[in-house]
């Protein structure tokens, strides 16, 4: 009988996976193109276009489904959760630095097990992602995981062919390995198309695993030994397999494209189909006689009437669940089980009984007390965890997902099965507004290249790196490099025998002026202490280590300070400041909490402590300082935030100033942004096209600039755009005033800061005009209170009079008299000058200028920043003009502004309006 097939292309060529939703109403596919597609299965909708979901940046390897949601995971290390009914993105559950190969929902849907390119399995609580239990035991990368139907056990397979069974509720507490089946499956590397799929029979009586002889091994529950083998049916190695809903049939697929349907009780093939290319995904319809499979062409096929029920009088694959006893299993497979002494093992009968018992395991029942005790066991045999518990479950639960990182660095793109880069591979170690540092792996050593955007200030250089430095930071005065400790083969002096030694973690600094006059130095860390993160500013090298030390060196290598700070994540530095980000414990809802410390590395003074804030479910991808030394962070959801009022004690708050996802959506482009730096009103970034480009590639891409825009509501209206412009400009201007005050540079930057007052007043007067036209007097009064200049209030009075609102004009005059009482005869006095007459808030001072960057007050132009000398020179020239030259004020261009005599006190032209590039 010819198979009834319905085929359609779903994805680009490559590994493609498939799953039916639990109710069978849709088929979910995902592929190497990083896309998810959802196809309806109803007859009147099956030919309609699929719904496409674009949330991953690299190939997707696995799909897991549950009653209300489904999850996807792939090479980008991300596990995303979506709603079944709406297909809306709900949360990012995991962000791993390694590729995720397989995920599995627990029966209750409360947990997801994750297998990635490492030896440790991680089990996450879906409702609280801060609760993570690592499961260790495999010696090679884990390829597959699956919960048993009741959630008592977890099975896993690894690249070495080993299969393990884990008791999730062991009497000893925590998770324990209760069975190991070494080399039962074929050995593969992590990128192999052979998935080493392990799958539970729906009734939990056994699980299936592909054998080494192109067969399928069925492993019995309780004994954890092979109880049957499905053999003599496959021509090549098995790529994946899947049980029918009632467990009567098993579908298998091979590297040659062969799909076989096994009648498990008879151990024979009842249907077979030869596909044109390797099949990479299988999924049974939950209620129908249909099998869906995907292949490496990216094609999705539904095979209807897959079990030939009429032809061979076979039972339906989904209508009746297989409910059998231990004895029936023994009889079925022709094997005899030894008596169990009258004590029934936790096994098949347990799996088939539905008594309404709450089957959630440890993660669902923990309440973490203030003193660290764990309470609330739902099963009688579970011990009460306390201070004397053998397993430190609390430490497992408080594992934080945010891993240490270096801003501006990228991983190697191609590595071998040991995680080592291939010869000739390169990666960025640092990428910022000064230049880039990248390394080229040469096998026995690497070559470090340092290239600058402004080659008139520094010459590019490179050197042979025999330590294979893995971290770097580039500043205006020098570059610092570091590497973790590593094992090495060392020769014993006396016997001449090779001994296993250890290379210590190392720091190396090189000044940008060259290597003369002791302009370079290096330090070795003690055994057991390794560099975690590092940064360099104008006065110091700052290093965080695994010993919970922050070590501070001068640029000449003098050790000047050390203090304790644990759980470091990242460091950024500028001028004489350092931004240190670290784990600060667990938040109110159990989420991991990141905190930051602003530290003056010249005065050894803490300036600010603050909680780091990211958008929900996001991790921090970049931290740094703007060209005016404003701390900033960028998270994985594309939100850029700055630390407002960083120098004012206990006043700092993180303020969002840019939403990358929204900008890309408004521009109608499939792109995301990789931060490089921050100017006064724009983010400097690399534009990465498509979701698969997570990191910048080689050759070095050109830096782009995009205008900042705070996430205000109703940005499609003119008034909101003006409100956003004013608030953002006020935040930046307030910061620049604080920096000028802190570094005693008020006079030097007076004209630039006064110019910002003019620009903000122009915006506010336009808002007053809109308020008057709408007859919103109170709004106009609120706006007028923010005006900086006396002459601006005169303009507001004229606007009110023009709109025949005398009461409002009189209110404006009262505001002027109150606000500028001390300088009523000087209608050109700015708020910056008036503030200096009073005792302002305390400002932490610095002895190093934080506003001296060439690009601190640069005009935005279409070619604002590129690796060319000309643009840097233009930036410096413009800054000098703003600091030294007088030009005509254009305050009189404001509609309704009274004519004024031009004076020399404030004769700076306002900064032109910004446009999105």
């Amino acid at each position: 009988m010819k198979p009834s097939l319905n085929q359609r292309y779903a994805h680009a060529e490559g590994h493609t996976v498939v799953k039916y939703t639990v109710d069978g109403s849709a088929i979910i596919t995902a592929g190497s193109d990083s896309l998810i597609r959802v196809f309806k299965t109803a007859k009147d909708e099956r030919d309609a276009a699929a719904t496409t979901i674009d949330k991953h940046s690299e190939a997707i390897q696995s799909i897991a489904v549950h009653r209300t949601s489904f999850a996807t995971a792939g090479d980008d290390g991300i596990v995303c959760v979506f709603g079944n009914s709406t297909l809306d993105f709900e949360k990012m559950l995991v962000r791993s630095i390694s590729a995720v190969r397989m995920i599995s929902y627990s029966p209750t849907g409360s947990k997801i097990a994750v297998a990635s390119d490492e030896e440790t399995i991680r089990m996450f609580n879906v409702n609280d992602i801060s609760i993570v239990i690592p499961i260790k035991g495999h010696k090679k990368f884990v390829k597959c995981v699956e919960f048993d139907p009741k959630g008592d056990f977890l099975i896993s397979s690894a690249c070495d062919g080993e299969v393990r069974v884990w008791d999730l509720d062991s009497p000893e507490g925590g998770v324990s390995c209760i069975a190991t089946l070494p080399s039962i499956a074929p050995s593969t590397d992590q990128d192999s198309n052979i998935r080493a799929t392990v799958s539970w029979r729906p009734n939990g009586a056994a699980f299936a695993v592909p054998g080494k002889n192109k067969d399928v091994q069925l492993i019995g529950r309780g004994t954890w030994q092979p109880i049957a083998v499905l053999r003599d049916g496959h021509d090549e190695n098995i790529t994946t397999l899947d049980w029918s809903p009632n467990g009567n049939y098993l579908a298998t697929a091979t590297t040659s494209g062969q799909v076989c349907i096994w009648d498990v009780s008879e151990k024979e093939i009842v249907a077979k189909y030869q596909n044109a290319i390797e099949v990479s995904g299988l999924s049974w319809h939950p209620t129908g006689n249909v099998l869906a499979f995907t292949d490496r062409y990216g094609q999705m096929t539904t095979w209807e009437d897959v079990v030939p029920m009429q032809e061979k009088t076979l039972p339906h694959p989904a209508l009746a669940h297989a409910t059998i006893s231990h004895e029936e299993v023994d009889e079925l497979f022709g094997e005899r089980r030894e008596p169990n002494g009258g004590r029934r093992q936790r096994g098949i009968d347990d799996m088939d009984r539905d008594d309404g018992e709450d089957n959630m395991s440890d993660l669902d029942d923990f309440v973490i007390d203030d003193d660290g005790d764990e309470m609330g066991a739902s099963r009688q045999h579970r011990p009460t965890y306390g201070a004397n518990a053998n397993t430190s479950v609390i430490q497992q639960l408080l594992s934080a997902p945010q891993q240490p990182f270096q801003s501006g660095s990228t991983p190697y793109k191609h590595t071998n099965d040991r995680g080592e880069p291939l010869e000739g591979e390169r990666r960025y170690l640092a990428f910022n507004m000064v230049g880039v540092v990248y390394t080229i792996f040469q096998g026995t050593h690497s070559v470090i290249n340092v290239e600058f955007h402004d080659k008139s200030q520094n010459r590019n250089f490179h050197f042979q790196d025999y330590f294979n430095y893995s971290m770097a930071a580039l500043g205006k005065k020098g570059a610092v490099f570091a590497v973790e400790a590593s094992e090495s083969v060392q020769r014993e002096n006396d016997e001449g025998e090779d001994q296993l030694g250890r290379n210590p973690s190392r720091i190396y600094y090189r000044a940008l002026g060259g290597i003369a006059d002791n302009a370079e130095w290096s330090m070795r860390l003690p055994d057991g202490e390794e560099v975690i993160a590092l940064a360099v500013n104008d006065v110091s090298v700052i290093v965080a280590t695994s010993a919970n030390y922050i070590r501070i060196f001068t640029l000449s290598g003098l050790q000047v300070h050390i203090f304790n700070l644990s759980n470091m994540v990242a460091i950024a530095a500028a001028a004489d400041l350092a931004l240190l980000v670290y784990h600060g414990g667990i938040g109110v809802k159990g989420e991991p909490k990141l905190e930051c410390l602003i530290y003056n590395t010249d005065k050894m003074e803490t300036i600010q402590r603050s909680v780091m804030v990211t958008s929900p479910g996001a991790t921090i991808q970049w931290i740094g300082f703007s060209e005016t030394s404003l701390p900033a962070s960028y998270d994985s959801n594309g939100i850029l935030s700055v630390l407002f009022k960083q120098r004012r004690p206990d006043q700092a708050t993180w303020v969002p100033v840019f939403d990358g996802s929204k900008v890309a959506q408004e521009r109608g482009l499939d792109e995301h942004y990789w931060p490089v730096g921050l100017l006064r009103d724009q983010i400097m970034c690399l534009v990465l096209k498509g979701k698969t480009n997570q990191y910048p590639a080689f050759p070095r891409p050109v830096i782009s600039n995009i205008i900042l825009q705070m996430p205000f509501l109703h940005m499609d209206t003119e008034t909101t755009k003006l409100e956003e412009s004013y608030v953002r400009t006020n935040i930046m201007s307030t910061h620049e005033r604080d920096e000028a005050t802190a570094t005693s540079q008020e006079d030097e930057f007076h004209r630039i800061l006064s110019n910002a007052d003019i620009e903000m007043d122009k915006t506010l007067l336009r808002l007053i005009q809109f308020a008057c036209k709408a007859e919103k007097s109170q709004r106009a009064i609120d706006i007028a209170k923010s005006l900086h200049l006396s002459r601006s209030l005169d303009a507001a009075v004229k606007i009110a009079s023009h709109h025949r609102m005398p009461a409002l004009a009189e209110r404006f005059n009262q505001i002027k008299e109150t606000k500028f009482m001390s300088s009523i005869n000087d209608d050109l006095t700015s708020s910056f000058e008036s503030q200096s007459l009073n005792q302002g808030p305390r400002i932490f001072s610095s002895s190093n200028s934080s506003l001296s960057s060439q690009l601190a007050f640069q005009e935005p132009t279409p070619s604002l920043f590129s690796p060319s000398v000309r643009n840097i020179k233009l930036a410096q020239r413009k800054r000098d003009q703003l600091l030294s030259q007088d030009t005509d004020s254009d305050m009189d261009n404001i509609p309704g502004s009274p004519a004024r005599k031009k004076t020399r006190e404030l004769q700076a032209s306002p900064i032109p309006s910004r446009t999105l590039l």
Side-chain angles (χ1 to χ4, degrees):
M1 180 177 177
K2 185 177 181 180
S4 176
L5 304 175
N6 180 21
Q7 298 178 323
R8 61 190 300 179
Y9 283 96
H11 298 276
E13 289 190 13
H15 181 74
T16 311
V17 289
V18 61
K19 281 286 184 183
Y20 273 98
T21 56
V22 173
D23 61 2
S25 63
I27 300 174
I28 306 168
T29 64
S32 59
D33 53 9
S34 77
L35 299 177
I36 305 164
R37 288 201 165 93
V38 182
F39 300 86
K40 295 295 184 180
T41 58
K43 289 185 178 180
D44 57 344
E45 295 181 289
R46 65 175 58 176
D47 294 327
T51 301
T52 301
I53 303 173
D54 189 0
K55 272 294 180 181
H56 287 270
S57 60
E58 296 185 37
I60 300 174
Q61 299 288 343
S62 180
I63 304 171
V65 296
H66 198 256
R67 289 187 298 273
T68 60
S69 62
F70 69 91
T72 57
D75 290 349
D76 54 7
I78 294 174
V79 177
C80 296
V81 179
F82 305 88
N84 272 342
S85 58
T86 63
L87 303 183
D88 289 338
F89 172 74
E90 293 184 351
K91 68 178 69 177
M92 183 185 297
L93 185 68
V94 181
R95 186 174 185 86
S96 170
I97 59 174
S98 55
V100 177
R101 301 297 176 181
M102 187 68 68
I103 54 176
S104 174
Y105 266 112
S106 66
T108 62
S110 61
K111 296 180 289 294
I112 286 183
V114 177
S116 59
D117 283 352
E118 50 185 303
E119 297 85 358
T120 301
I121 304 165
R122 286 181 169 81
M123 190 162 56
F124 291 83
N125 188 306
V126 175
N127 299 317
D128 188 347
I129 61 175
S130 66
I131 302 179
V132 187
I133 291 184
I135 304 175
K136 300 181 179 181
H138 280 291
K139 299 178 178 61
K140 296 294 182 181
F141 290 167
V142 184
K143 297 209 69 170
C144 185
V145 288
E146 186 171 275
F147 285 94
D148 88 289
K150 278 287 186 177
D152 293 331
F153 301 109
L154 181 77
I155 51 175
S156 60
S157 64
C159 288
D160 57 0
E162 179 184 78
V163 172
R164 286 181 176 244
V165 183
W166 308 88
D167 188 343
L168 303 180
D169 191 24
S170 67
E172 294 80 13
V175 178
S176 63
C177 179
I178 58 173
T180 302
L181 305 173
S183 302
I184 189 172
S187 297
T188 62
D189 59 46
Q190 70 267 31
D191 293 318
S192 171
N193 299 334
I194 300 174
R195 314 305 291 180
T197 306
V198 286
S199 181
W200 283 97
R201 194 176 190 187
N203 65 0
F207 65 84
V209 57
K212 293 195 294 185
N213 299 315
K214 304 174 186 177
D215 54 13
V216 178
Q217 299 280 333
L218 300 181
I219 310 300
R221 183 190 186 94
T223 62
W224 311 120
Q225 295 296 321
I227 56 175
V229 181
L230 306 181
R231 58 168 60 95
D232 300 328
H234 305 107
D235 55 352
E236 295 291 345
N237 284 324
I238 297 171
T239 55
T240 187
L241 48 81
D242 191 47
W243 288 93
S244 67
N246 62 9
N248 288 340
Y249 305 100
L250 182 70
T252 57
T254 68
T255 56
S256 66
Q258 188 182 74
V259 180
C260 299
I261 309 300
W262 293 83
D263 183 334
V264 178
S265 62
E266 299 296 331
K267 304 180 193 176
E268 68 178 16
I269 294 174
V270 296
K272 183 182 291 188
Y273 173 71
Q274 182 63 51
N275 195 50
I277 195 174
E278 173 187 308
V279 172
S280 53
L282 291 170
S283 182
W284 287 86
H285 192 290
T287 59
N289 185 15
V290 183
L291 177 74
F293 60 88
T294 49
D295 59 34
R296 295 188 66 81
Y297 280 151
Q299 183 174 245
M300 188 266 289
T301 302
T302 53
W303 183 357
E304 298 183 356
D305 297 323
V306 57
V307 175
M309 296 186 296
Q310 301 297 330
E311 182 181 342
K312 297 187 178 182
T313 318
L314 295 170
H316 193 281
L319 291 185
H321 289 274
T323 304
I324 54 179
S325 65
H326 285 291
E327 292 75 15
E328 290 173 320
V329 170
D330 296 338
E331 183 179 351
L332 174 68
F333 294 115
E335 302 191 17
R336 183 175 182 82
R337 188 185 300 252
E338 292 299 321
N340 193 28
R343 181 184 178 186
R344 186 168 59 87
Q345 295 182 352
R346 195 167 42 172
I348 298 168
D349 294 338
D350 295 299
M351 307 311 298
D352 296 324
R353 186 181 70 247
D354 185 7
D355 54 9
E357 177 184 327
D358 183 5
N359 295 304
M360 292 190 297
S361 62
D362 302 352
L363 282 177
D364 308 305
D365 305 303
F366 275 125
V367 177
I368 301 176
D369 218 348
D370 289 341
D371 59 2
D373 293 339
E374 296 139 72
M375 305 171 60
S378 66
R379 293 188 180 131
Q380 293 181 356
H381 67 268
R382 180 185 297 146
T384 300
Y385 295 99
N388 297 323
N390 294 328
T391 304
S392 181
V393 181
I394 280 287
Q395 292 182 1
Q396 297 176 356
L397 294 179
L398 300 185
S399 300
Q402 177 79 63
Q403 299 297 315
F405 68 93
Q406 281 291 124
S407 291
S409 66
T410 64
Y412 285 111
K413 189 173 183 179
H414 300 105
T415 58
N416 59 25
D417 56 1
R418 297 184 300 276
E420 299 170 345
L422 304 180
E423 189 167 345
E425 280 293 297
R426 59 186 66 194
R427 60 178 285 244
Y428 293 107
L429 299 180
F431 202 134
N432 59 23
M433 298 287 279
V434 178
V436 298
V437 180
Y438 65 93
T439 180
I440 306 174
F441 185 69
Q442 300 291 344
T444 58
H445 67 283
S446 298
V447 176
I448 299 286
N449 294 269
V450 181
E451 299 178 356
F452 300 94
H453 303 306
D454 183 3
K455 298 180 178 62
S456 67
Q457 298 292 324
N458 298 286
R459 298 180 59 183
N460 298 345
F461 65 88
H462 67 273
F463 60 90
Q464 302 289 325
D465 169 23
Y466 291 96
F467 297 103
N468 290 319
Y469 290 116
S470 59
M471 291 172 272
L474 182 62
K476 297 176 182 178
K477 296 185 178 180
V480 60
F481 307 86
V483 65
E484 303 89 344
S486 61
E487 294 182 349
S488 64
V489 176
Q490 300 176 351
R491 184 169 294 279
E492 190 72 26
N493 292 333
D494 296 336
E495 290 99 6
E497 297 178 354
D498 288 341
Q499 300 290 332
L500 187 63
R502 193 163 180 82
N503 294 321
S505 185
R506 179 182 297 266
I507 309 163
Y508 168 60
Y509 175 81
R510 179 165 175 169
L512 297 186
I515 60 174
D517 195 25
N518 295 321
E520 64 174 328
W521 52 268
S522 64
M523 293 279 184
R524 290 186 299 176
L525 270 60
D527 290 342
E529 183 178 356
E530 299 191 14
V531 176
I532 295 176
L534 76 166
V536 59
N537 57 25
D538 294 348
V539 296
S540 308
V541 171
I542 308 99
V543 179
T545 76
S546 59
N548 294 336
Y549 292 152
I550 303 297
R551 297 182 179 271
I552 300 179
F553 306 83
T554 66
L555 298 185
S556 64
L558 180 67
Q559 301 181 63
V560 290
H561 195 45
I562 182 173
F563 62 93
N564 292 107
L565 192 61
S566 60
N567 302 317
M568 282 297 301
V569 174
I571 311 176
D576 55 5
L577 303 177
L579 168 62
L580 300 102
V581 178
Y582 57 95
H583 289 291
I586 299 297
V588 175
K589 297 180 180 180
E591 75 280 3
K593 183 174 68 173
L594 293 180
E595 297 181 356
C596 71
L597 176 72
I598 307 294
Y599 196 79
N600 187 313
T601 62
D602 186 34
K603 294 186 173 184
M604 309 305 168
E605 181 179 54
T606 297
I607 294 178
Q608 195 71 244
R609 288 182 182 270
S610 175
V611 174
M612 295 290 292
V613 180
T614 62
S615 50
T619 56
I620 297 176
Q621 288 190 331
W622 175 88
I623 61 170
F625 285 87
S626 74
E627 294 302 294
T628 57
S629 302
L630 177 63
S633 72
Y634 190 85
D635 69 27
S636 55
N637 287 343
I639 302 298
L640 174 70
S641 301
V642 297
L643 188 61
F644 183 42
K645 297 185 178 180
Q646 61 159 328
R647 289 189 182 269
R648 303 187 186 188
D650 303 319
Q651 296 295 312
T653 54
W654 285 97
V655 178
V657 295
F658 178 77
D659 185 343
S661 299
K662 184 177 180 181
V663 169
Q665 182 180 1
E666 290 175 349
R667 299 172 71 174
L669 298 174
D670 183 15
E671 63 185 24
H672 57 285
Y673 310 110
W674 201 74
V676 173
L678 181 65
L679 299 190
R680 197 182 196 187
D681 59 354
Q682 51 202 305
I683 180 176
M684 310 303 297
C685 59
L686 304 180
V687 179
L688 304 181
K689 300 293 184 179
K691 297 300 182 181
T692 57
N693 295 327
Q694 187 176 1
Y695 300 102
F698 291 88
R700 172 158 55 102
V702 175
I703 299 175
S704 301
N705 57 314
I706 302 177
I707 301 302
L708 300 179
Q709 185 181 90
M710 302 177 73
F712 274 35
L713 300 177
H714 306 295
M715 280 301 294
D716 54 340
T717 65
E718 184 66 23
T719 54
T720 303
K721 291 178 181 178
L722 292 171
E723 291 168 2
E724 187 276 336
S725 175
Y726 165 72
V727 173
R728 177 167 42 80
T729 304
N730 186 50
I731 288 172
M732 298 302 178
S733 180
T734 300
H735 163 74
E736 290 155 6
R737 284 186 168 88
D738 285 354
E739 292 301 306
T741 302
T743 56
S744 301
Q745 293 179 295
E746 298 98 321
D747 293 339
E748 181 179 352
F749 292 98
H750 167 73
R751 296 189 185 282
I752 289 178
L753 300 176
S754 297
N755 184 68
D757 287 344
I758 297 173
E759 182 72 8
M760 285 187 285
D761 279 9
K762 288 178 62 180
T763 302
L764 292 172
L765 286 169
R766 291 187 64 190
L767 285 170
I768 289 174
Q769 274 192 317
F770 283 118
C772 289
K773 286 181 180 179
E775 298 183 351
K776 296 181 178 180
S777 298
Q778 186 57 52
R779 176 176 290 191
I781 292 170
D782 292 341
I783 298 169
K785 291 177 181 178
S786 298
L787 289 169
H788 300 78
L789 305 177
S790 173
R791 62 182 294 189
S792 299
L793 277 163
D794 290 337
V797 170
K798 187 168 183 178
I799 293 171
S801 300
H802 174 76
H803 288 277
R804 299 180 181 182
M805 304 174 74
L808 181 61
E810 179 60 29
R811 186 72 178 91
F812 287 160
N813 278 321
Q814 294 174 5
I815 294 173
K816 175 183 175 181
E817 293 174 4
T818 302
K819 190 169 186 177
F820 297 99
M821 187 69 68
S822 62
S823 55
I824 196 166
N825 294 322
D826 185 3
D827 58 6
L828 291 177
T829 300
S830 70
S831 63
F832 179 64
E833 293 175 316
S834 62
Q835 180 178 326
S836 65
L837 299 175
N838 304 305
Q839 181 63 39
R842 180 190 173 195
I843 300 290
F844 282 104
S845 63
S846 284
S847 56
N848 292 268
S849 174
S850 56
L851 299 173
S852 59
S853 169
Q854 295 175 347
L855 294 171
F857 302 102
Q858 163 70 344
E859 279 191 36
T861 62
S863 58
L864 171 71
F865 189 87
S866 62
S868 66
V869 176
R870 179 177 177 273
N871 287 315
I872 302 294
K873 292 299 185 183
L874 288 175
Q876 181 64 52
R877 190 181 307 157
K878 182 62 182 178
R879 177 178 174 275
D880 293 342
Q881 289 174 353
L882 288 173
L883 290 174
S884 62
Q885 295 182 1
D886 294 327
T887 58
D888 291 337
S889 170
D890 68 348
M891 277 293 292
D892 295 328
N893 293 330
I894 303 172
S897 174
R900 297 285 179 177
K901 180 181 178 181
K902 295 176 182 177
T903 68
R904 189 175 176 81
E905 294 298 319
L906 288 173
Q907 292 178 341
S909 61
I911 299 174
S913 61
R914 277 57 170 156
T915 56
L916 180 65
L917 299 182

